[in-house]
Amino acid sequence: MKRLKKNKYGGVKRRGGARRAPLIIAVLAVAAAALVAFTPYFKIKYIKVEGNQHLDDEYITRVSGISVGMNTFSMKLSDVINNLTAESYVDTAKVKREFPNGVSIVVKENVPCAIIPYADGRFILIDRRCRVLEELEVENGEYPEITGMTVTIDGHKNLSPSKEDKDKPALVSEILTELSGSTLSGRIAEINLKDTDNITLTLNGGKMIANIKDKNELSYKLSFLAGIVEKLDGEGKDTGIIDFSGEDPVYRPEDVTVQPEPSGD
Protein backbone atom coordinates (compact mmCIF):
# COMPACT_ATOMS: atom_id res chain seq x y z
CA MET A 1 0.00 0.00 0.00
CA LYS A 2 1.31 3.45 -1.04
CA ARG A 3 2.02 5.84 1.75
CA LEU A 4 0.99 9.44 1.10
CA LYS A 5 3.24 12.24 2.28
CA LYS A 6 1.93 14.31 5.13
CA ASN A 7 2.17 18.05 5.32
CA LYS A 8 3.70 19.85 8.26
CA TYR A 9 0.36 19.92 10.01
CA GLY A 10 -0.01 16.17 9.84
CA GLY A 11 -2.52 16.17 6.98
CA VAL A 12 -2.12 14.21 3.77
CA LYS A 13 -0.92 16.18 0.73
CA ARG A 14 -3.45 16.22 -2.12
CA ARG A 15 -2.25 15.95 -5.71
CA GLY A 16 -5.41 17.12 -7.43
CA GLY A 17 -4.39 20.81 -7.28
CA ALA A 18 -1.11 20.10 -9.06
CA ARG A 19 -2.93 18.22 -11.81
CA ARG A 20 -5.42 21.05 -12.28
CA ALA A 21 -2.77 23.79 -12.57
CA PRO A 22 -1.84 23.15 -16.26
CA LEU A 23 -5.52 23.05 -17.17
CA ILE A 24 -6.14 26.36 -15.46
CA ILE A 25 -3.14 27.92 -17.22
CA ALA A 26 -4.35 26.62 -20.59
CA VAL A 27 -7.84 28.03 -20.01
CA LEU A 28 -6.40 31.39 -19.05
CA ALA A 29 -4.15 31.40 -22.14
CA VAL A 30 -7.10 30.66 -24.43
CA ALA A 31 -9.12 33.38 -22.75
CA ALA A 32 -6.27 35.87 -23.14
CA ALA A 33 -5.83 34.93 -26.81
CA ALA A 34 -9.55 35.36 -27.43
CA LEU A 35 -9.48 38.74 -25.70
CA VAL A 36 -6.54 39.89 -27.86
CA ALA A 37 -8.12 38.53 -31.05
CA PHE A 38 -11.52 40.12 -30.64
CA THR A 39 -10.83 43.36 -28.82
CA PRO A 40 -10.92 46.43 -31.09
CA TYR A 41 -7.94 47.82 -29.18
CA PHE A 42 -5.52 45.84 -31.41
CA LYS A 43 -7.21 46.50 -34.75
CA ILE A 44 -4.82 48.13 -37.22
CA LYS A 45 -5.63 51.81 -37.74
CA TYR A 46 -2.57 52.91 -39.74
CA ILE A 47 0.16 51.39 -41.93
CA LYS A 48 3.34 53.43 -42.30
CA VAL A 49 5.54 52.82 -45.38
CA GLU A 50 9.11 54.11 -45.68
CA GLY A 51 12.11 53.69 -48.00
CA ASN A 52 10.14 53.46 -51.25
CA GLN A 53 11.19 55.53 -54.25
CA HIS A 54 9.46 53.86 -57.21
CA LEU A 55 6.51 52.03 -55.67
CA ASP A 56 3.80 54.07 -53.96
CA ASP A 57 2.58 53.47 -50.41
CA GLU A 58 -0.80 52.10 -51.49
CA TYR A 59 0.76 49.49 -53.78
CA ILE A 60 3.24 48.31 -51.14
CA THR A 61 0.45 48.03 -48.57
CA ARG A 62 -1.66 45.98 -50.98
CA VAL A 63 1.27 43.66 -51.80
CA SER A 64 2.02 43.16 -48.10
CA GLY A 65 -1.39 41.60 -47.49
CA ILE A 66 -2.03 43.90 -44.52
CA SER A 67 -5.12 46.07 -44.34
CA VAL A 68 -6.63 48.56 -41.93
CA GLY A 69 -9.08 46.82 -39.60
CA MET A 70 -7.09 43.61 -39.30
CA ASN A 71 -6.04 42.49 -35.84
CA THR A 72 -2.35 43.19 -35.47
CA PHE A 73 -1.79 39.73 -34.00
CA SER A 74 -3.49 37.97 -36.91
CA MET A 75 -0.66 38.83 -39.30
CA LYS A 76 2.47 36.70 -39.44
CA LEU A 77 5.44 38.98 -39.94
CA SER A 78 7.44 36.43 -41.95
CA ASP A 79 4.52 36.02 -44.41
CA VAL A 80 4.26 39.78 -44.84
CA ILE A 81 8.01 40.04 -45.57
CA ASN A 82 7.78 37.19 -48.10
CA ASN A 83 4.88 38.95 -49.83
CA LEU A 84 6.88 42.14 -50.11
CA THR A 85 10.15 40.64 -51.34
CA ALA A 86 8.27 38.67 -54.01
CA GLU A 87 7.77 42.06 -55.70
CA SER A 88 10.67 42.57 -58.13
CA TYR A 89 11.34 46.15 -57.05
CA VAL A 90 11.71 45.20 -53.37
CA ASP A 91 15.15 44.01 -52.31
CA THR A 92 14.62 43.78 -48.54
CA ALA A 93 11.74 44.56 -46.17
CA LYS A 94 11.38 45.09 -42.44
CA VAL A 95 7.97 44.90 -40.80
CA LYS A 96 7.12 45.56 -37.17
CA ARG A 97 4.05 46.13 -35.06
CA GLU A 98 3.62 49.56 -33.51
CA PHE A 99 1.40 48.88 -30.54
CA PRO A 100 -1.38 49.08 -30.03
CA ASN A 101 -2.79 49.58 -33.54
CA GLY A 102 -0.11 50.38 -36.10
CA VAL A 103 2.28 48.66 -38.52
CA SER A 104 5.59 49.94 -39.88
CA ILE A 105 6.97 48.75 -43.23
CA VAL A 106 10.48 49.77 -44.31
CA VAL A 107 11.62 48.62 -47.76
CA LYS A 108 14.87 48.85 -49.65
CA GLU A 109 14.18 48.94 -53.37
CA ASN A 110 16.16 47.57 -56.29
CA VAL A 111 17.36 50.50 -58.40
CA PRO A 112 16.68 50.49 -62.17
CA CYS A 113 19.97 50.71 -64.07
CA ALA A 114 19.53 49.65 -67.71
CA ILE A 115 17.18 48.34 -70.37
CA ILE A 116 17.60 45.35 -72.69
CA PRO A 117 15.74 44.94 -76.02
CA TYR A 118 13.22 42.14 -75.79
CA ALA A 119 10.60 40.45 -77.94
CA ASP A 120 8.13 42.39 -80.09
CA GLY A 121 9.94 45.69 -79.68
CA ARG A 122 9.59 45.67 -75.91
CA PHE A 123 12.32 46.23 -73.33
CA ILE A 124 13.31 44.70 -70.02
CA LEU A 125 14.19 47.07 -67.19
CA ILE A 126 16.91 45.59 -64.93
CA ASP A 127 18.89 46.53 -61.83
CA ARG A 128 22.66 46.21 -61.51
CA ARG A 129 22.35 42.53 -60.58
CA CYS A 130 20.40 41.90 -63.79
CA ARG A 131 17.21 41.30 -61.85
CA VAL A 132 14.14 41.89 -64.01
CA LEU A 133 12.14 44.78 -62.58
CA GLU A 134 9.49 45.14 -65.27
CA GLU A 135 8.75 45.00 -68.98
CA LEU A 136 8.46 48.26 -70.91
CA GLU A 137 6.38 48.75 -74.04
CA VAL A 138 8.58 51.59 -75.27
CA GLU A 139 12.24 52.51 -74.91
CA ASN A 140 13.09 54.56 -71.84
CA GLY A 141 15.89 57.01 -72.62
CA GLU A 142 16.56 57.52 -68.93
CA TYR A 143 18.65 54.32 -68.77
CA PRO A 144 21.48 52.93 -70.93
CA GLU A 145 20.48 50.26 -73.43
CA ILE A 146 22.35 46.94 -73.32
CA THR A 147 22.81 45.68 -76.89
CA GLY A 148 24.54 42.64 -78.37
CA MET A 149 22.84 40.22 -75.97
CA THR A 150 19.78 38.06 -76.67
CA VAL A 151 17.58 37.36 -73.65
CA THR A 152 14.18 36.07 -72.63
CA ILE A 153 12.37 35.94 -69.29
CA ASP A 154 11.88 32.54 -67.66
CA GLY A 155 8.85 31.31 -65.72
CA HIS A 156 10.20 32.83 -62.51
CA LYS A 157 10.59 36.25 -64.14
CA ASN A 158 14.37 35.96 -64.20
CA LEU A 159 16.62 37.06 -67.03
CA SER A 160 17.46 34.12 -69.29
CA PRO A 161 20.23 34.74 -71.85
CA SER A 162 20.73 32.69 -74.99
CA LYS A 163 23.31 29.89 -74.90
CA GLU A 164 25.82 32.04 -76.77
CA ASP A 165 25.36 34.92 -74.32
CA LYS A 166 25.26 32.93 -71.08
CA ASP A 167 28.28 34.77 -69.59
CA LYS A 168 27.12 38.26 -70.53
CA PRO A 169 24.72 38.97 -67.61
CA ALA A 170 27.66 38.68 -65.21
CA LEU A 171 29.58 41.16 -67.36
CA VAL A 172 26.58 43.52 -67.47
CA SER A 173 26.33 43.32 -63.69
CA GLU A 174 30.02 44.13 -63.32
CA ILE A 175 29.80 47.13 -65.63
CA LEU A 176 26.63 48.51 -64.02
CA THR A 177 28.11 48.07 -60.54
CA GLU A 178 31.22 50.00 -61.56
CA LEU A 179 29.10 52.75 -63.12
CA SER A 180 26.88 53.20 -60.07
CA GLY A 181 28.00 56.37 -58.36
CA SER A 182 30.34 57.25 -61.23
CA THR A 183 30.23 60.62 -62.98
CA LEU A 184 29.53 58.61 -66.13
CA SER A 185 26.19 57.51 -64.74
CA GLY A 186 23.40 59.20 -66.67
CA ARG A 187 25.65 59.98 -69.65
CA ILE A 188 25.81 56.51 -71.19
CA ALA A 189 23.20 55.79 -73.85
CA GLU A 190 24.34 52.33 -74.92
CA ILE A 191 26.56 49.47 -73.74
CA ASN A 192 27.35 47.23 -76.71
CA LEU A 193 28.44 43.69 -75.82
CA LYS A 194 28.20 42.12 -79.27
CA ASP A 195 31.96 41.51 -79.14
CA THR A 196 33.12 41.15 -75.54
CA ASP A 197 36.70 41.73 -76.67
CA ASN A 198 35.65 45.15 -77.97
CA ILE A 199 33.08 46.51 -75.54
CA THR A 200 31.85 49.95 -76.58
CA LEU A 201 30.00 52.61 -74.62
CA THR A 202 28.04 55.36 -76.33
CA LEU A 203 27.91 58.62 -74.41
CA ASN A 204 26.52 62.13 -74.64
CA GLY A 205 23.42 61.18 -76.59
CA GLY A 206 25.40 59.26 -79.20
CA LYS A 207 28.02 61.94 -79.86
CA MET A 208 30.89 60.09 -78.15
CA ILE A 209 32.03 56.47 -78.26
CA ALA A 210 34.42 54.75 -75.86
CA ASN A 211 36.03 51.44 -76.81
CA ILE A 212 37.09 49.89 -73.51
CA LYS A 213 38.25 46.67 -75.17
CA ASP A 214 37.61 43.63 -72.92
CA LYS A 215 36.57 43.26 -69.27
CA ASN A 216 40.15 43.13 -67.95
CA GLU A 217 40.92 46.02 -65.58
CA LEU A 218 37.34 47.17 -66.03
CA SER A 219 37.27 49.26 -62.86
CA TYR A 220 40.47 51.08 -63.82
CA LYS A 221 39.34 51.75 -67.39
CA LEU A 222 35.93 53.10 -66.40
CA SER A 223 37.51 55.31 -63.76
CA PHE A 224 40.08 56.58 -66.31
CA LEU A 225 37.29 57.12 -68.84
CA ALA A 226 35.37 59.26 -66.33
CA GLY A 227 38.48 61.40 -65.88
CA ILE A 228 38.95 61.84 -69.62
CA VAL A 229 35.31 62.79 -70.14
CA GLU A 230 35.48 65.29 -67.29
CA LYS A 231 38.63 66.86 -68.80
CA LEU A 232 36.95 67.05 -72.23
CA ASP A 233 33.92 68.70 -70.63
CA GLY A 234 36.21 71.41 -69.31
CA GLU A 235 37.47 71.96 -72.84
CA GLY A 236 33.95 72.11 -74.26
CA LYS A 237 34.34 68.85 -76.18
CA ASP A 238 31.48 66.37 -76.15
CA THR A 239 32.11 64.41 -79.35
CA GLY A 240 34.74 61.95 -80.49
CA ILE A 241 36.18 58.50 -79.83
CA ILE A 242 38.07 57.37 -76.73
CA ASP A 243 40.00 54.21 -77.51
CA PHE A 244 41.49 51.86 -74.90
CA SER A 245 42.56 49.20 -77.40
CA GLY A 246 46.22 50.33 -77.44
CA GLU A 247 48.78 50.56 -74.68
CA ASP A 248 47.43 53.97 -73.62
CA PRO A 249 43.97 55.51 -74.07
CA VAL A 250 43.68 57.72 -77.14
CA TYR A 251 41.14 60.47 -77.82
CA ARG A 252 40.21 61.28 -81.41
CA PRO A 253 37.93 64.31 -81.96
CA GLU A 254 35.76 62.72 -84.62
CA ASP A 255 32.09 63.39 -85.27
CA VAL A 256 30.68 59.92 -84.64
CA THR A 257 27.12 61.06 -85.44
CA VAL A 258 27.96 61.51 -89.15
CA GLN A 259 27.30 58.34 -91.11
CA PRO A 260 29.60 57.67 -94.09
CA GLU A 261 27.94 58.20 -97.44
CA PRO A 262 27.54 55.06 -99.56
CA SER A 263 30.09 54.84 -102.34
CA GLY A 264 28.75 54.97 -105.89
CA ASP A 265 29.35 52.13 -108.28
Side-chain angles (χ1 to χ4, degrees):
M1 179 178 178
K2 293 182 180 181
R3 299 180 62 186
L4 300 180
K5 291 182 180 180
K6 295 183 178 181
N7 60 31
K8 63 181 179 178
Y9 301 108
V12 176
K13 290 185 176 181
R14 303 295 181 185
R15 296 182 180 178
R19 286 196 296 268
R20 286 195 298 271
L23 178 61
I24 293 172
I25 293 172
V27 171
L28 290 175
V30 170
L35 180 64
V36 168
F38 293 105
T39 180
Y41 187 67
F42 293 108
K43 283 188 176 181
I44 296 172
K45 291 184 178 179
Y46 70 89
I47 301 168
K48 182 172 62 179
V49 179
E50 297 177 286
N52 49 318
Q53 300 293 323
H54 298 88
L55 305 176
D56 61 38
D57 293 5
E58 183 180 351
Y59 178 79
I60 290 176
T61 300
R62 186 167 69 251
V63 168
S64 74
I66 306 170
S67 59
V68 172
M70 286 178 58
N71 187 287
T72 187
F73 290 102
S74 69
M75 67 174 185
K76 190 175 180 181
L77 296 183
S78 59
D79 288 346
V80 176
I81 291 173
N82 288 337
N83 290 343
L84 290 167
T85 53
E87 160 58 46
S88 59
Y89 267 100
V90 178
D91 184 17
T92 61
K94 294 180 180 179
V95 182
K96 67 177 182 178
R97 298 179 177 91
E98 293 190 346
F99 290 106
N101 49 25
V103 178
S104 168
I105 299 174
V106 180
V107 298
K108 178 183 176 184
E109 291 184 337
N110 294 308
V111 180
C113 288
I115 58 173
I116 304 176
Y118 185 45
D120 303 324
R122 291 174 293 165
F123 295 83
I124 302 171
L125 182 62
I126 62 170
D127 70 357
R128 62 183 176 86
R129 293 174 297 179
C130 286
R131 182 171 179 175
V132 176
L133 300 182
E134 61 178 300
E135 294 181 43
L136 304 176
E137 296 296 328
V138 294
E139 182 178 358
N140 188 325
E142 183 179 352
Y143 307 106
E145 181 179 339
I146 309 295
T147 58
M149 181 170 72
T150 303
V151 297
T152 57
I153 299 176
D154 65 20
H156 300 285
K157 294 187 177 181
N158 296 318
L159 198 68
S160 179
S162 63
K163 186 177 179 180
E164 296 78 12
D165 295 333
K166 61 183 179 63
D167 297 325
K168 289 183 179 179
L171 178 56
V172 170
S173 181
E174 188 176 355
I175 293 173
L176 294 178
T177 299
E178 292 293 341
L179 289 175
S180 62
S182 167
T183 55
L184 294 173
S185 180
R187 303 186 66 157
I188 296 178
E190 180 185 354
I191 302 172
N192 191 323
L193 303 178
K194 184 176 181 179
D195 181 358
T196 53
D197 288 326
N198 286 287
I199 302 168
T200 59
L201 309 180
T202 304
L203 301 86
N204 298 343
K207 294 188 290 184
M208 182 176 287
I209 292 176
N211 176 11
I212 61 173
K213 201 177 177 183
D214 54 31
K215 66 177 182 179
N216 293 326
E217 299 182 308
L218 186 61
S219 179
Y220 164 76
K221 286 186 283 191
L222 290 177
S223 177
F224 203 102
L225 175 62
I228 294 174
V229 172
E230 186 175 354
K231 182 176 183 297
L232 292 173
D233 282 345
E235 298 173 359
K237 300 174 182 177
D238 63 354
T239 63
I241 297 174
I242 302 172
D243 193 354
F244 284 80
S245 61
E247 291 186 7
D248 297 305
V250 175
Y251 168 68
R252 299 193 297 273
E254 302 176 15
D255 187 354
V256 299
T257 62
V258 177
Q259 299 296 321
E261 293 183 3
S263 59
D265 294 331

